Amino acid sequence: MPELPEVEGYRRYFERHALDRVVTALEVLDRRIVSGVAPSALARAMRGGRFTRTRRHGKHLFAHNTNGKWLYLHFGMTGDLVFGDRQSLESRFPRVIVGFDSEHALAFDDPRLFGRAGLVGNPDEEIARRRLGPDPLALSAAELERLLSNKRGAMKSLLMNQTNLAGLGNLYVDELLFQTGIHPRTLASSIDSRTWRTIYSAMQKILRRAIDAQTSGASLPRSWLLEHRVEGDACPRCGGTIARETHFGRTSYFCTRHQRP
DNA sequence: AGTACCACCTGACGGC
DNA sequence: TGCCGTCAGGTGGTAC
């Protein structure tokens, strides 16, 4: 379930391992994961160059190659990055492997093949083409309210829509609504300004803490819903009961006591 | 504009 | 033990 915090973890992992090494090969093991470009053209655009910097927008990752273009990665549901010695890569489902001249390699691992690898001229064009909303970590409280308060839909649906806000998925939206006491079906139009500010600060706190956990390997607080996504569990905040329902085609977990419709 | 539903995928898991 | 159905969910498309 790579959402913003996980993808930020992959970005840092990519920077730590793959930057400034010469790409000697790019091998596509399953071409279904490559989109918008032929695997051979992708390889040609990367080979001989080095990655100099990365950029993340929402759940989308870009890595600039000195040949001029950017490698694009989206992790879908089960995407992952695995770096190591070419001979002993601990990747179970490698779909694309970038080889470096140091006998190291980076595998784009994705058992379910919902992820995508591609080639883009520059990240901003791709962000515009996909009509992605702003990244929540580069947003002010006022902008969040302006962005969502005039929408007609329900909070869960609006927060998950990447064209409104890019980066939150099912799990972190549930977490945010849980921590702010909002039912997933609550209409955005019913949220007052004070509550929008509460939502904003909870969102920042949740994302930053989750990124910390991601990069340090620490676990998340036991008071978070993410540690209690089990139907019938006791709510760690109020002692209520965790329910499971389908909302907008996704499985929601929420507390029936402190998140009332 | 917002919601519903389907398709894409396949590992994990529960039931029998 | 092993088969089988169901679930997970990000995205993108269509339909209403």
Side-chain angles (χ1 to χ4, degrees), chain A residues 4-258:
Chain A
L4 189 156
E6 290 76 28
V7 178
E8 176 61 19
Y10 299 148
R11 190 190 70 77
R12 295 179 188 188
Y13 185 87
F14 191 104
E15 289 232 331
R16 184 162 62 223
H17 295 297
L19 245 44
D20 301 323
R21 299 179 187 273
V22 176
V23 176
T24 53
L26 185 146
E27 188 184 355
V28 175
L29 291 88
D30 191 319
R31 50 191 307 143
R32 288 176 294 178
I33 206 147
V34 177
S35 80
V37 60
S40 56
L42 178 61
R44 215 176 312 121
M46 295 293 125
R47 216 179 311 129
R50 289 171 290 107
F51 294 109
T52 59
R53 62 187 188 277
T54 63
R55 182 167 162 201
R56 181 192 57 74
H57 186 96
K59 307 173 194 174
H60 304 256
L61 181 61
F62 305 88
H64 176 259
N65 185 292
T66 50
N67 286 351
K69 301 229 174 173
W70 295 69
L71 174 66
Y72 166 78
L73 294 177
H74 188 281
F75 296 87
M77 223 181 105
T78 52
D80 196 6
L81 293 178
V82 181
F83 179 83
D85 288 336
R86 216 180 294 203
Q87 299 307 321
S88 56
L89 258 191
E90 294 189 24
S91 167
R92 290 180 62 200
F93 307 96
R95 308 304 189 189
V96 177
I97 297 179
V98 181
F100 301 103
D101 63 0
S102 51
E103 292 306 312
H104 288 101
L106 180 73
F108 180 33
D109 193 292
D110 187 8
R112 208 159 296 177
L113 287 166
F114 279 8
R116 288 295 175 264
L119 187 66
V120 302
N122 86 60
D124 288 317
E125 283 173 12
E126 185 65 12
I127 289 163
R129 194 182 70 77
R130 291 179 178 274
R131 298 187 162 75
L132 296 176
D135 189 276
L137 291 179
L139 193 70
S140 72
E143 285 165 339
L144 179 72
E145 179 174 356
R146 205 178 320 127
L147 209 58
L148 299 179
S149 60
N150 59 349
K151 305 271 184 198
R152 296 164 181 273
M155 289 299 279
K156 173 139 184 173
S157 164
L158 294 174
L159 289 166
M160 289 221 317
N161 186 337
Q162 302 298 296
T163 66
N164 292 329
L165 196 62
L168 302 181
N170 192 42
L171 270 57
Y172 285 97
V173 168
D174 273 6
E175 187 65 44
L176 177 56
L177 296 175
F178 173 81
Q179 292 196 22
T180 49
I182 295 167
H183 188 276
R185 291 200 192 275
T186 302
L187 296 179
S189 55
S190 72
I191 304 285
D192 62 28
S193 276
R194 187 186 58 82
T195 308
W196 279 115
R197 287 193 292 275
T198 305
I199 292 166
Y200 176 81
S201 57
M203 188 168 74
Q204 301 300 315
K205 197 200 76 183
I206 289 166
L207 293 175
R208 287 170 203 283
R209 183 68 188 266
I211 290 168
D212 282 350
Q214 194 68 36
T215 48
S216 72
S219 56
L220 295 171
R222 292 283 297 160
S223 61
W224 284 25
L225 176 66
L226 277 164
E227 300 290 304
H228 301 271
R229 291 180 70 86
V230 177
E231 193 171 18
D233 250 28
C235 169
R237 302 236 151 179
C238 76
T241 307
I242 301 300
R244 178 196 145 142
E245 286 178 14
T246 299
H247 298 141
F248 313 104
R250 289 290 170 267
T251 306
S252 295
Y253 288 89
F254 65 101
C255 172
T256 55
R257 184 183 290 177
H258 83 270

